[in-house]
C-alpha cells in the first residue's frame, strides 16, 4: 500500500480494513529500515494510528501538524510522499530522522529538541491569523515533553490568545526513560469530561443569544462555570489554563480518534486532546522494553536492544564507571539527569545510589539551577547532559552556577560530531558558548583514563567545571594520559611515545598538532601518516579554559608549524584563540586552526561528518603538508 501513497489525500477514502492493513505495513517498514539504519523505534511504533487519524482528518499542509521533538515522525514521513526514500533514513544525504523544512512542505519546523511544539504552533497559528491565512494548527506533544517548562509557558500563553489551537498530548508514560514527576502522575488520572463539554457549550450558546449585559454576563458566567466545574467535575489543569479538554482516548483506535478530531476542528477555542498510546506498539520486544528500543543502532532491533559483546569502551561507559567509583568514596556526590539516564551513563549510578540520583524530566534549565541549589546545600552535584541540550541551560550555567562559583560538575556527553541525528544534535557549540563564562573551568579528556583523572580532579576542585567528551569509542591509552593534572596545562605526546619505531630526525620539519580530547583519535591517525616526512608531536589540550599561556608559548616556539584541531565551531573556539596567541608571540611559526565551519552540520556517520567539516585524518594531514613545507629546517 505504501508505494501508492504520495500524499495524505491518498488515504482519505480507505476503509477500516484498509487502514488496519496500512498500520501493519507501516510498522513493518519502520522496523525493517530501523534494523538496517538505526533510529527511534518504540516512539514511532506507538503513534502509527494517531498519525493516520490526524492525516485523514486534517488537510496537511494547509493544516499544520507540528511534532514535538519530531523523532516520532516516521509514519508522518511515509504518508507525505517519502516512502521511496525512506530506506535512506538517517543516512548522509538521506531522509532525516526528524522533521525538516527543506525535505517536505508537510514539515513546518526543523525540530530535534523537546517541549518546543506548543510555542512553535502558537506562533504559527498567530502568524496565520494576523495574515488571514486559513488552516488549523495542531501541536503533537508527548507526556515526556510536558515535563519541560517551555511547554507550560506556551500553554499559559496559548490559553490567553489562541482561539482554536489544537494540542494533542500523546500520553505513553514515557519520554526515553519512564517519566518521573507529579505531572506524569497527573496525566494518568485525567479522564473524559464529556458532560462538562456539553454543559459549557450550552451555557456559552445561551450567553451569546442575550443582547444586553453580554460582556458583564461573560465574566460572571466564567466564574460560575469554574465554580460548578470544581464542584461537579474532576479538576483539570488544562481547563484552568483556558483550554477545552477531551480525553483520555485510545490512541490506537483510528475511528475514535477521527471522530474526536472532527469535533475539535469546529471548536472556537483552544483544545487539548489527551491520547493514550503504547510505546513500541505492535512489536513485542519494543513493547516489553521501550527504553532499550527508544533509539537503537543498526541491527539492534532484533537483538534485544543492546549491542552484543561490545568490545570497545565508550566515553559514556568510562564516565559511568568513574562516577560510580567516586560516589562510593564520597557520599556528597549526587547525579542529575534531564530524562537521559541511560544515554548519559547514569543508570549504574541510579541503581547503586538511588537516594542520590535525580531525574528531573526534560528540563535542562531546572537541572542546572537544581544542581546549584544542591551545591549550596553542601553536596557535590554532577549534572550529566548531552552537549546539544546544554544549549538550553546556558543562562543557568552563568547565573546560577558560575556567578556564585558553586562546585557543580557539568558532564557533557555527545560533544563534537554526533552521528545520524543531524543538525539539531551536533555538539559543536559548547566550547564557544561556555568558554567566556567567568569562574568556569572547561576540560576535555582524550581517553578513558584521562576522563577518570579529570573527573576525580573536578570533584575536588571546589569550583564549576565543565567536562566534554564525544559519542565515540575511547582510544588506546598512552602513558601521558595518566600524568598528574596541572591546571591550564595539557600533555605532550612525542612521536617517541605514540610511534617509537619512527626514531628521531632533527633534519625534518618539526610539527605540533594541538587537539581537543574528542579529536585525539583522528589527530593520531593523521600524525602517524605524516611521520614519513615530518617530525610530529601531539599536544592534548586537556584544558580549554584556563590555558597556561606562558607554558603553551614556550612549547609552541620549538616548532616550525603548529596546527590546531578542535571538535567545536571554529568561530569562538579555542583553536583560533591559541592561533592568534602564537601568531602574536611566535611570528616565525606557521599556524592553522581547524574546526567546524560556520554552518549547520547535516546527518551522517562520524567519519562522514568530520570529512564534511574538513576535520578527517586526511584533511588534518593535508593541512600540515600545506603549511609546514614553507618553514623547513
Amino acid at each position: 500500500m505504501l508505494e501508492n501513497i504520495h500524499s495524505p489525500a491518498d488515504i482519505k477514502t480507505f476503509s477500516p480494513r484498509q487502514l488496519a492493513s496500512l498500520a501493519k505495513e507501516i510498522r513493518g517498514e519502520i522496523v525493517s529500515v530501523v534494523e538496517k539504519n538505526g533510529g527511534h523505534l518504540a516512539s514511532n511504533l506507538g503513534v502509527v494510528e494517531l498519525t493516520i487519524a490526524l492525516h485523514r482528518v486534517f488537510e496537511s499542509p494547509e493544516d499544520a501538524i507540528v511534532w514535538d521533538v519530531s523523532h516520532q515522525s516516521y509514519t508522518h514521513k511515509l504518508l507525505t510522499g517519502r516512502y521511496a526514500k525512506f530506506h535512506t533514513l538517517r543516512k548522509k544525504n538521506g531522509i532525516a530522522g526528524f522533521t525538516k523544512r527543506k525535505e517536505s512542505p508537510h514539515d513546518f519546523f526543523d525540530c530535534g529538541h523537546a517541549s518546543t511544539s506548543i510555542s512553535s504552533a502558537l506562533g504559527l497559528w498567530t502568524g496565520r491569523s494576523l495574515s488571514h491565512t486559513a488552516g488549523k494548527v495542531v501541536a503533537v506533544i508527548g507526556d515526556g515533553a510536558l515535563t519541560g517548562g517551555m511547554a507550560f509557558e506556551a500553554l499559559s500563553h496559548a490559553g490567553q490568545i489562541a482561539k482554536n489551537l489544537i494540542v494533542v498530548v500523546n500520553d505513553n508514560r514515557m519520554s526515553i526513560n519512564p517519566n518521573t514527576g507529579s505531572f506524569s502522575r497527573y496525566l494518568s488520572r485525567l479522564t473524559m469530561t464529556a458532560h462538562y463539554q456539553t454543559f459549557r457549550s450550552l451555557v456559552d450558546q445561551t450567553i451569546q443569544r442575550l443582547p444586553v449585559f453580554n460582556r458583564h454576563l461573560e465574566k460572571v458566567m466564567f466564574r460560575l462555570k469554574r465554580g460548578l466545574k470544581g464542584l461537579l467535575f474532576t479538576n483539570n489543569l488544562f481547563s484552568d489554563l483556558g483550554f477545552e479538554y477531551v480525553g483520555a482516548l485510545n490512541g490506537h483506535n483510528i475511528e475514535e480518534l477521527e471522530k474526536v478530531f472532527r469535533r475539535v476542528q469546529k471548536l472556537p477555542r483552544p483544545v487539548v486532546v489527551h491520547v493514550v498510546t503504547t510505546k513500541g506498539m505492535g512489536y513485542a520486544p519494543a513493547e516489553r522494553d521501550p527504553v532499550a528500543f527508544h533509539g537503537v543502532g543498526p541491527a539492534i532491533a532484533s537483538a534485544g536492544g543492546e549491542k552484543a559483546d561490545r568490545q570497545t569502551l565508550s566515553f559514556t561507559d568510562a564516565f559511568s564507571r568513574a562516577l560510580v567509583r567516586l560516589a562510593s568514596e564520597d557520599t556528597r556526590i549526587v547525579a542529575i539527569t534531564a530524562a537521559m539516564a541511560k544515554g548519559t551513563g547514569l543508570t549504574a549510578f541510579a541503581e547503586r545510589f538511588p537516594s542520590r540520583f535525580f531525574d528531573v524530566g526534560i528540563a535542562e534549565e531546572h537541572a542546572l539551577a537544581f544542581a546549584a541549589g544542591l551545591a549550596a546545600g553542601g553536596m557535590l552535584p554532577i549534572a550529566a547532559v548531552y552537549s546539544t541540550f546544554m544549549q538550553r541551560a546556558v543562562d543557568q550555567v552563568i547565573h546560577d552556577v558560575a556567578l556564585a562559583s558553586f562546585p557543580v560538575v557539568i558532564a557533557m556527553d555527545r560533544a563534537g560530531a554526533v552521528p545520524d541525528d543531524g543538525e539539531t544534535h551536533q555538539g559543536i557549540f559548547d566550547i564557544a558558548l561556555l568558554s567566556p563564562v567567568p569562574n568556569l573551568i572547561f576540560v576535555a579528556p582524550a581517553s578513558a583514563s584521562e576522563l577518570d583523572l579529570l573527573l576525580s580532579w573536578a570533584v575536588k576542585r571546589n569550583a564549576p567545571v565543565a567536562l566534554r567528551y564525544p559519542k565515540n569509542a575511547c582510544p588506546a591509552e598512552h602513558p601521558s594520559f595518566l600524568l598528574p593534572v596541572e591546571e591550564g596545562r595539557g600533555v605532550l605526546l612525542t612521536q617517541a611515545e605514540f610511534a617509537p619505531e619512527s626514531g628521531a630526525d632533527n633534519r625534518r620539519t618539526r610539527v605540533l598538532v594541538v587537539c581537543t580530547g574528542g579529536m585525539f583519535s583522528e589527530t593520531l591517525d593523521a600524525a602517524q601518516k605524516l611521520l614519513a616526512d615530518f617530525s610530529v608531536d601531539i599536544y592534548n589540550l586537556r584544558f580549554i579554559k584556563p590555558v597556561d599561556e606562558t607554558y603553551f608559548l614556550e612549547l609552541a616556539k620549538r616548532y616550525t608549524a603548529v596546527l590546531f584541531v578542535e571538535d567545536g565551531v571554529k568561530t569562538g573556539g579555542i583553536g583560533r584563540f591559541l592561533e592568534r596567541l602564537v601568531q602574536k608571540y611566535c611570528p616565525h611559526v606557521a599556524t592553522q586552526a581547524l574546526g567546524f565551519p560556520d554552518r549547520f552540520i547535516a546527518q551522517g556517520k562520524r567519519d562522514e561528518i568530520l570529512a564534511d567539516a574538513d576535520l578527517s585524518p586526511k584533511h588534518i594531514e593535508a593541512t600540515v603538508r600545506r603549511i609546514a613545507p614553507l618553514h623547513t629546517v
Side-chain angles (χ1 to χ4, degrees), residues 210-447:
L210 297 176
V212 186
F213 305 122
N214 191 298
R215 283 184 303 167
H216 300 292
L217 271 175
E218 280 185 353
K219 294 179 181 179
V220 172
M221 292 308 297
F222 174 75
R223 294 189 180 95
L224 177 60
K225 284 185 291 184
R226 289 193 63 175
L228 284 172
K229 181 185 66 177
L231 179 65
L232 300 175
F233 304 106
T234 302
N235 288 331
N236 188 312
L237 173 65
F238 298 116
S239 297
D240 289 339
L241 288 172
F243 284 80
E244 292 298 317
Y245 169 82
V246 179
L249 308 179
N250 179 355
H252 302 293
N253 186 321
I254 296 176
E255 184 179 359
E256 180 183 355
L257 290 170
E258 287 188 30
K259 186 183 299 183
V260 171
F261 288 149
R262 295 190 194 283
R263 288 175 179 172
V264 301
Q265 262 188 323
K266 302 172 183 177
L267 286 176
R269 59 181 68 90
V271 59
V272 165
V273 180
H274 180 189
V275 175
V276 177
T277 62
T278 300
K279 204 167 185 180
M281 182 69 174
Y283 186 59
E287 285 191 49
R288 287 194 300 267
D289 192 353
V291 175
F293 285 87
H294 171 76
V296 298
I300 299 176
S302 58
E306 294 288 351
K307 290 182 180 178
D309 300 321
R310 185 174 61 187
Q311 299 297 315
T312 56
L313 183 73
S314 71
F315 277 92
T316 304
D317 296 331
F319 166 74
S320 177
R321 294 182 184 184
L323 182 58
V324 168
R325 178 185 63 79
L326 289 168
S328 66
E329 299 168 357
D330 192 335
T331 58
R332 296 175 300 161
I333 291 177
V334 295
I336 306 160
T337 181
M340 303 295 285
K342 184 176 180 181
T344 57
L346 290 183
T347 303
F349 183 99
E351 292 172 353
R352 181 85 176 270
F353 311 104
S355 65
R356 289 192 271 155
F357 170 73
F358 303 94
D359 186 342
V360 302
I362 303 177
E364 291 81 7
E365 300 95 326
H366 166 61
L368 268 295
F370 177 60
L374 283 165
M379 306 306 289
L380 292 175
I382 315 290
V385 186
Y386 287 6
S387 170
T388 183
F389 299 141
M390 263 305 301
Q391 296 163 190
R392 306 169 71 120
V394 172
D395 180 60
Q396 284 68 33
V397 173
I398 296 170
H399 178 271
D400 299 296
V401 175
L403 185 62
S405 199
F406 283 126
V408 174
V409 177
I410 305 166
M412 286 185 291
D413 205 321
R414 273 68 166 173
V418 177
D420 305 321
D421 286 331
E423 293 89 337
T424 58
H425 280 62
Q426 303 298 352
I428 61 178
F429 301 107
D430 55 80
I431 294 176
L433 287 170
L434 297 181
S435 290
V437 179
N439 296 336
L440 182 70
I441 300 168
F442 206 163
V443 296
S447 75

Side-chain angles (χ1 to χ4, degrees), residues 308-627:
D309 300 321
R310 185 174 61 187
Q311 299 297 315
T312 56
L313 183 73
S314 71
F315 277 92
T316 304
D317 296 331
F319 166 74
S320 177
R321 294 182 184 184
L323 182 58
V324 168
R325 178 185 63 79
L326 289 168
S328 66
E329 299 168 357
D330 192 335
T331 58
R332 296 175 300 161
I333 291 177
V334 295
I336 306 160
T337 181
M340 303 295 285
K342 184 176 180 181
T344 57
L346 290 183
T347 303
F349 183 99
E351 292 172 353
R352 181 85 176 270
F353 311 104
S355 65
R356 289 192 271 155
F357 170 73
F358 303 94
D359 186 342
V360 302
I362 303 177
E364 291 81 7
E365 300 95 326
H366 166 61
L368 268 295
F370 177 60
L374 283 165
M379 306 306 289
L380 292 175
I382 315 290
V385 186
Y386 287 6
S387 170
T388 183
F389 299 141
M390 263 305 301
Q391 296 163 190
R392 306 169 71 120
V394 172
D395 180 60
Q396 284 68 33
V397 173
I398 296 170
H399 178 271
D400 299 296
V401 175
L403 185 62
S405 199
F406 283 126
V408 174
V409 177
I410 305 166
M412 286 185 291
D413 205 321
R414 273 68 166 173
V418 177
D420 305 321
D421 286 331
E423 293 89 337
T424 58
H425 280 62
Q426 303 298 352
I428 61 178
F429 301 107
D430 55 80
I431 294 176
L433 287 170
L434 297 181
S435 290
V437 179
N439 296 336
L440 182 70
I441 300 168
F442 206 163
V443 296
S447 75
S449 63
E450 194 169 50
L451 190 154
D452 190 307
L453 187 73
L454 287 170
L455 183 60
S456 302
W457 177 86
V459 298
K460 298 173 184 175
R461 180 57 179 78
N462 196 36
V465 180
L467 182 83
R468 76 187 303 268
Y469 43 93
K471 183 181 183 181
N472 201 21
C474 295
E477 297 291 348
H478 295 273
S480 294
F481 292 151
L482 293 172
L483 290 174
V485 178
E486 295 183 75
E487 189 163 324
R489 297 185 181 186
V491 292
L492 180 68
L493 282 76
T494 65
Q495 68 181 58
E497 182 174 337
F498 64 82
E501 71 285 352
S502 64
D505 187 349
N506 293 328
R507 294 171 299 173
R508 292 184 295 178
T509 301
R510 297 197 69 202
V511 175
L512 179 67
V513 185
V514 181
C515 68
T516 51
M519 289 300 297
F520 175 77
S521 293
E522 289 76 18
T523 299
L524 178 62
D525 190 354
Q528 290 173 330
K529 289 181 172 63
L530 288 164
L531 288 175
D533 303 304
F534 300 90
S535 176
V536 184
D537 295 335
I538 299 173
Y539 185 69
N540 167 35
L541 274 172
R542 271 193 181 171
F543 283 85
I544 294 169
K545 180 187 179 182
V547 173
D548 187 331
E549 297 179 10
T550 302
Y551 173 82
F552 179 74
L553 289 171
E554 282 296 317
L555 177 65
K557 71 181 184 182
R558 305 176 198 168
Y559 296 86
T560 301
V562 178
L563 176 66
F564 303 93
V565 182
E566 71 178 296
D567 51 347
V569 289
K570 199 159 28 174
T571 304
I574 183 64
R576 279 193 169 173
F577 168 76
L578 292 175
E579 183 187 26
R580 293 189 185 102
L581 198 66
V582 174
Q583 289 172 343
K584 181 176 180 180
Y585 294 103
C586 307
H588 67 283
V589 177
T591 63
Q592 182 72 50
L594 298 180
F596 282 96
D598 189 17
R599 59 181 169 83
F600 291 104
I601 306 299
Q603 69 204 40
K605 299 302 178 185
R606 176 181 170 88
D607 58 349
E608 293 172 333
I609 293 168
L610 293 178
D612 184 46
D614 292 345
L615 284 169
S616 68
K618 181 179 178 180
H619 286 98
I620 295 170
E621 179 190 355
T623 304
V624 168
R625 294 188 182 281
R626 187 173 68 250
I627 67 172

Side-chain angles (χ1 to χ4, degrees), residues 70-108:
S70 78
H71 65 307
Q72 79 286 48
S73 61
Y74 294 0
T75 301
H76 165 77
K77 289 172 182 282
L78 289 168
L79 298 180
T80 52
R82 285 170 271 186
Y83 168 72
K85 291 191 68 178
F86 194 68
H87 67 281
T88 68
L89 180 75
R90 289 161 51 92
K91 296 289 188 181
K92 184 174 175 62
N93 299 321
I95 293 290
F98 303 88
T99 55
K100 198 168 186 177
R101 283 167 55 85
K102 291 181 180 178
E103 197 174 283
S104 171
H106 297 274
D107 293 1
F108 286 84

